């Protein structure tokens, strides 16, 4: 009876609405075994199979689903409606004229999307049919991966990937650990350590593993790769033991087993519920400014189209008011037509005119734009200058839809570590109780030759200090998660630990930790290994010391610290803690805090990354209390993270400060040059980092974000503690506005020397206060506006101590400001993903913090320096090309359809088409499409070297300047003018009765063909006149398309085609070309059409040339060698007054000025040890030996980096 109630209780708890246990957790029975009677009810839950589906379509739903998606596009849907109208009512043009281009567009897009989806199906099948080994009834059974079920026990061997998310039960290692690489998940190639369940790690054979009787309770699937909460109940007879499960026990699908022969693990999440699959979710669609302009222009042309149809319909009924015109003798109406209501007739006529003029909306423009973006993106991927030889990586394009947006960037938001810097940490120094220690630079006990004449710093601490120093070194050798790669095979011979000396190397997910452990090795304390729960270190006397590792309190970005609890051979218990100064100092009760704080601040100002180290003795009673706190928190299924954080908070207190470390993260090559170029291009650069203010500020000076002349404004917690946030904001606002007055951002961004250059520093806490002000503060409503106003008038902004979400908030704030600027975010780590997704354009750096940023970005580059060419060259070209493409498409369609509109005035508004059906259909598909597509792929209006050399040219195209309304109106007026010249020119030439050689008179189809011939030649020549970069491909395509038109017209009119019911174009084209006056008309009309545009360009270039036009003219003068011979500054407009500033190009002394080296002598042994320290960051090989360094050859003064 008790069993029945237990079953009922379990059912209610699992299935009742609102019950948290059912919503938040799942129960897995290992090996599908029922739990022992009386423990809990056996309710087998249903889970999905292990099939991975990344494809979008199936064989059955491809056609309807793809058509639905394509017709959601406004242009496609519009042409579908036009096509249906042509089918339903009697229209002047054949349905083929709309149907064929639409069918072509839909088919090409469907084939492209279908092919991409077929590749996804292929990849899915390869994964789903992969063999896996499952333990069943004590034997190993081979299955396909898709048939794996939750609860199956899986055997995975070395170098195999995990088929689903697994909980580790046992491994081939005695200590129950295994090593895993997660490169396919987050790009980190380092070996991570995972741990088997304590009670099952001894089971190493199939039969033993099959005998395991246990259930797992864990959270429902969620996408966070680094979070897992669960517990395992292991049944020993009728007793059950509960153990916590965390992310250290969870092996993720896609990760690979390394340095471990085999493991046994149980499947807990399968198929589309694995963490990898949950991270497949698609990003929100980003739309470029050009696409928005296209849609706006499309609406204007749609209004023009409707207006034309309404005007023609109205005039038709005015014309037909006269009965003789309404029903001429040769065209009597039927009885049905007479009885039809006038409104229905008017509506039918309106639709007929809509069909006749619908070609003003260019459906093929969308296809051409898509092809241009798709093919154009390969130029980034093929660019050898954007390839990194060291990484062997090229630039990657994940989204080709935003190519032109690279030419419109106004704000650049960049991460610091790994983006501006190399994320290649080098241990510089450590400070213990005020004594500074640096790595040894000695050779056989002799000071190196370059140490002669250096400043000598003598530090001779007493015996107590010696003990504290060694405790500090031990703390750094023990407080970490570094792994030792003990064996390395070289030429088939294994090398490893030899005679107690470590010849191994260190691996960690954090480069800081490796730098610290290697630094300790250079100072005499070597971390050897973690074996059987014992951490071994080699001290200065070459003795191996062993410490039992009891607990690891892992690092997290909220606490900003990590701790370990170890037990020495003497039985003493220590808690060692290391972390950011802001998280350690408040928890310290003793130690030389002031001296260490001063050293930390000095190092931070010099741009070094600092960490503080502290410790605490634990009594056995205190340790028992710690164990109790941690086990309670770890076993919790609900709010485990919060409870662990509370437990860590209680444990990491009453610390004794030992010292601090300084690690250097060098600037990336040409980072300063890149930032300076972006500034000159008119972009505002913001650095968003989690680092402390002093370190980040030093990096900003070194990278030329801040200059020595920059006046720094601080909006930090320290300042808001002294004044209210309201007062600080208004003070800063008054400061910047008093200087700049009503200056526009454009004026200010030129950084003229007669105004102060401001830089703003804000921290995360103050930013939170600005974004979410106190509700009680009546003046809080406009904090964001004031903050934005301050930022607008600053040349650069540094945001430090930022959480990942705050980075995205900053980007969103700027995006939503009244100017709606185009933003670009660049970062290399998982913490930058939110900012990358939020910005208009997201760029990932292929750094050392994994590949998450790269996977979520729109574009990825190997190094920060490649951003310069991507924006200033590729972005510039893409924008120039696509803006010409869009304007040209609308122009050539106005030229095409406006004569048709004028023709209605001369044919009694009878909806008679001016052009033949073949011409209507092929105008946009064949005759005029290829030249503009090629132009939009290879046009270079200015030499590539000049664009790199003179970043200010980027400003000529900023703010969507080539797609503004005045330029759009100019192109439209030009199209209307050309159409009027073509139509009335041909009309007046026909008015003088023109005869062929045999005296035959021209008819209406000859008239239409003459206009169409002039049209095709005019729009093609217009594009040829706009082309600056000529290659054999341009010549082939432009002149080839004209030849194709002539050849097609000759064939179309010269052959009697059997599939045509009537052939109205028979011999029309040949007859027209046989007439001398027709040839003269064509030449005169083409010249008259093109002349105003040519004159306008000549006059404008002579009187009001832009910088771009000056450089184009000079480049032609120097025959393309401008970039080598001419100072570009001379080609700009009148120069602005600049005040000379000798320190303008200065950077942080630590990074660019030579220092005297310091030598420290430490008297521990008979012979002195000499340690040299070179506090100098070198950016290039040239800078190592001379003060010249790398010189940026841009416009204006040279800048040494």
């Amino acid at each position: 009876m008790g069993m029945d109630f237990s079953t009922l209780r379990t059912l209610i708890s699992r299935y009742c609405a609102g019950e948290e246990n059912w919503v938040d957790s799942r129960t897995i029975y290992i090996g599908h075994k029922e739990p022992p009677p009386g423990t809990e009810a056996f309710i087998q839950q249903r889970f999905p199979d292990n099939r991975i589906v990344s494809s979008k379509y199936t064989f059955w739903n491809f056609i309807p689903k793809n058509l639905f998606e394509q017709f959601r596009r406004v242009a496609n849907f519009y042409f579908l409606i036009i096509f249906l109208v042509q089918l339903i009512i009697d229209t002047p043009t054949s349905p083929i004229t709309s149907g064929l281009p639409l069918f072509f567009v839909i088919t090409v897009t469907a084939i492209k999307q279908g092919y991409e989806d077929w590749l996804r199906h292929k990849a899915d099948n390869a994964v789903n049919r992969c063999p896996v080994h499952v333990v069943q009834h004590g034997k190993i059974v081979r299955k396909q991966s898709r048939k794996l079920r939750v609860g199956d026990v899986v055997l995975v061997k070395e170098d195999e990937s995990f088929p689903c998310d697994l909980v580790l039960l046992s491994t081939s290692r005695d200590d129950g650990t295994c090593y895993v690489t997660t490169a396919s998940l987050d790009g980190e190639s380092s070996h991570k350590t995972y741990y088997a369940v304590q009670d099952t790690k001894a089971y190493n054979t199939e039969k033993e593993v099959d005998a395991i009787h246990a259930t797992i309770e864990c959270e429902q699937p969620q996408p966070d790769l680094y979070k897992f909460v669960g517990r395992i109940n292991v049944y020993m007879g009728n007793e059950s033991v509960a153990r916590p499960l965390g992310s250290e026990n969870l092996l993720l699908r896609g990760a690979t087993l390394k340095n471990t022969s085999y493991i046994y693990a149980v499947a807990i999440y399968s198929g589309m519920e694995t963490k990898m699959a949950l991270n497949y979710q698609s990003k929100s669609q980003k739309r470029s400014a050009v696409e928005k302009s296209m849609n706006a222009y499309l609406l204007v042309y749609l209004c023009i189209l409707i207006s034309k149809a309404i005007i023609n319909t109205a005039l038709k009924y005015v014309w037909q008011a006269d009965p003789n015109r309404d029903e001429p003798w040769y065209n009597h109406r039927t009885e049905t037509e007479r009885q039809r209501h006038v409104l229905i007739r008017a509506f039918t006529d309106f639709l007929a005119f809509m069909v006749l003029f619908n070609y003003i909306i260019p459906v093929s423009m969308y296809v051409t734009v898509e092809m241009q973006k798709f093919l154009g993106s390969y130029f980034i991927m093929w660019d050898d200058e954007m390839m990194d030889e060291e990484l062997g990586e090229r630039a990657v394009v994940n989204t080709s839809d935003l190519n032109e947006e690279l030419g419109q960037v106004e704000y650049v938001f960049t991460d610091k570590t790994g983006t501006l810097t190399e994320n290649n940490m080098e241990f510089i120094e450590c400070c213990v109780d005020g004594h500074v220690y640096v790595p040894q630079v000695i050779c056989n006990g002799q000071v190196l030759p370059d140490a002669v004449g250096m400043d000598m710093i003598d530090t001779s601490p007493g015996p107590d200090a010696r003990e504290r120093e060694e405790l500090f070194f031990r703390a750094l050798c023990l407080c970490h998660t570094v792994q030792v790669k003990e064996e390395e095979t070289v030429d088939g011979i294994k090398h490893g630990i030899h005679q107690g000396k470590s010849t191994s190397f260190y691996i960690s997910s954090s480069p800081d930790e490796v730098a610290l452990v290697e630094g300790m090795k250079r100072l005499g304390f070597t971390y050897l290994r973690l074996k059987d729960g014992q951490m071994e270190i080699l001290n200065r006397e070459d003795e191996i010391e062993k410490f039992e590792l009891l607990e690891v309190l892992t690092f997290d970005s909220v606490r900003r610290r990590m701790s370990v609890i170890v037990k020495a051979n003497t039985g003493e218990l220590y808690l060692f803690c290391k972390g950011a100064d802001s998280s350690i100092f408040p928890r310290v009760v003793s130690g030389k805090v002031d001296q260490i704080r001063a050293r930390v601040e000095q190092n931070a100002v010099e741009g070094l990354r600092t960490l503080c180290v502290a410790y605490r003795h634990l009594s056995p009673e205190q340790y028992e209390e710690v164990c109790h706190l941690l086990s309670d928190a770890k076993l919790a299924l609900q709010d485990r993270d919060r409870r662990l954080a509370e437990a860590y908070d209680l444990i990491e207190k009453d610390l004794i400060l030992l010292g601090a470390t300084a690690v250097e993260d060098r600037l990336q090559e040409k980072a300063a040059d890149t930032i300076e170029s972006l500034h000159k291009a008119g972009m505002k650069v913001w650095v968003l980092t989690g680092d402390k203010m002093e370190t980040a500020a030093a990096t900003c000076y070194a990278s030329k974000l801040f200059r020595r002349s920059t006046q720094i404004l601080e909006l930090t917690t320290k300042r808001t503690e002294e004044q209210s946030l309201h007062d600080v904001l208004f003070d800063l606002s008054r400061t910047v506005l008093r200087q700049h007055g009503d200056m526009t951002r454009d004026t200010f961004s030129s950084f003229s020397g007669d105004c102060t250059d401001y830089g703003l520093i804000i921290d995360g806490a103050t930013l939170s206060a600005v974004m979410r002000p106190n509700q009680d503060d009546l003046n809080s409503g406009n904090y964001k506006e004031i903050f934005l106003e301050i930022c607008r008038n600053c040349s650069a902004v540094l945001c430090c101590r930022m959480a990942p979400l705050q980075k995205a908030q900053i980007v969103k704030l700027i995006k939503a400001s009244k100017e709606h600027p185009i933003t670009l975010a660049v970062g290399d780590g998982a913490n930058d993903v939110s900012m990358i997704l939020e910005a208009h354009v997201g760029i990932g750096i292929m750094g050392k913090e994994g590949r998450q940023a790269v996977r979520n970005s729109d574009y990825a580059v190997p190094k920060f320096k490649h951003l310069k060419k991507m924006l200033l060259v590729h972005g510039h070209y893409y924008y120039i090309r696509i803006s010409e493409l869009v304007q040209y498409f609308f122009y050539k369609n106005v030229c095409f359809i406006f004569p048709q509109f004028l023709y209605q005035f001369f044919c009694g508004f009878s909806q008679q088409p001016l052009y033949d059906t073949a011409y209507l259909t092929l105008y946009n598909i064949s005759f005029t499409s290829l030249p503009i597509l090629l132009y939009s792929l290879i046009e270079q209006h200015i030499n590539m070297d000049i664009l790199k050399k003179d970043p200010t040219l980027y400003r000529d195209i900023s703010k969507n300047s080539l797609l503004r309304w005045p330029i759009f109106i100019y192109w439209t007026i030009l199209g209307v003018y050309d159409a009027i010249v073509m139509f009335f020119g041909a009309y007046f030439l026909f008015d003088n009765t023109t005869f062929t050689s045999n005296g035959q008179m021209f008819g209406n189809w000859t008239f239409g063909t003459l206009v169409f011939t002039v049209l095709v030649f005019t729009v093609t020549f217009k594009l040829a006149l706009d082309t600056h970069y000529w290659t054999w491909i341009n010549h082939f395509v432009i002149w080839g398309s004209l030849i194709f038109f002539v050849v097609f017209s000759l064939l179309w009119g010269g052959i009697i085609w059997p599939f045509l019911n009537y052939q109205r174009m028979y011999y029309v084209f040949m007859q027209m070309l046989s007439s001398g006056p027709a040839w003269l008309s064509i030449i005169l009309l083409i010249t008259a059409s093109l002349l105003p545009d040519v004159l306008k360009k000549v006059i404008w270039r002579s009187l009001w040339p832009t910088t771009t036009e000056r450089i184009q003219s000079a480049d032609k003068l120097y025959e393309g060698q401008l970039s080598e011979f001419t100072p570009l500054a001379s080609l700009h407009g009148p120069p602005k007054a600049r005040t000379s500033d000798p320190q303008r190009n200065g950077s942080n002394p630590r990074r660019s000025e030579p220092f005297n080296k310091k030598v420290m002598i430490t008297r521990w042994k008979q012979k002195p040890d000499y340690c040299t320290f070179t506090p100098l960051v070198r950016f290039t090989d040239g800078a190592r030996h001379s003060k010249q360094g790398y010189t940026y050859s841009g416009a204006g003064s040279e800048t040494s980096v």
Side-chain angles (χ1 to χ4, degrees), residues 379 877 881 934-935 937-944 1023-1035 1038 1112 1115-1116:
F379 291 117
Y877 283 157
R881 292 164 182 168
L934 190 78
Y935 174 96
L937 287 173
I938 66 172
E939 168 66 359
Q940 294 181 20
H941 64 303
I942 293 180
N943 187 288
M944 191 181 294
L1023 187 65
L1025 289 170
D1026 284 352
T1027 302
H1028 296 93
Y1029 185 70
W1030 283 92
T1031 65
W1032 68 268
I1033 309 175
N1034 293 77
H1035 286 290
I1038 287 178
Q1112 284 171 346
D1115 200 24
K1116 285 173 186 170

Side-chain angles (χ1 to χ4, degrees), residues 323-338 345:
N324 293 325
R325 291 176 180 168
D326 188 20
E327 277 193 73
W329 59 269
Y330 55 84
N331 191 14
H332 284 287
R333 287 187 189 162
T334 63
E335 196 60 37
T336 311
E337 287 174 335
R338 285 197 186 94
R345 278 191 288 147

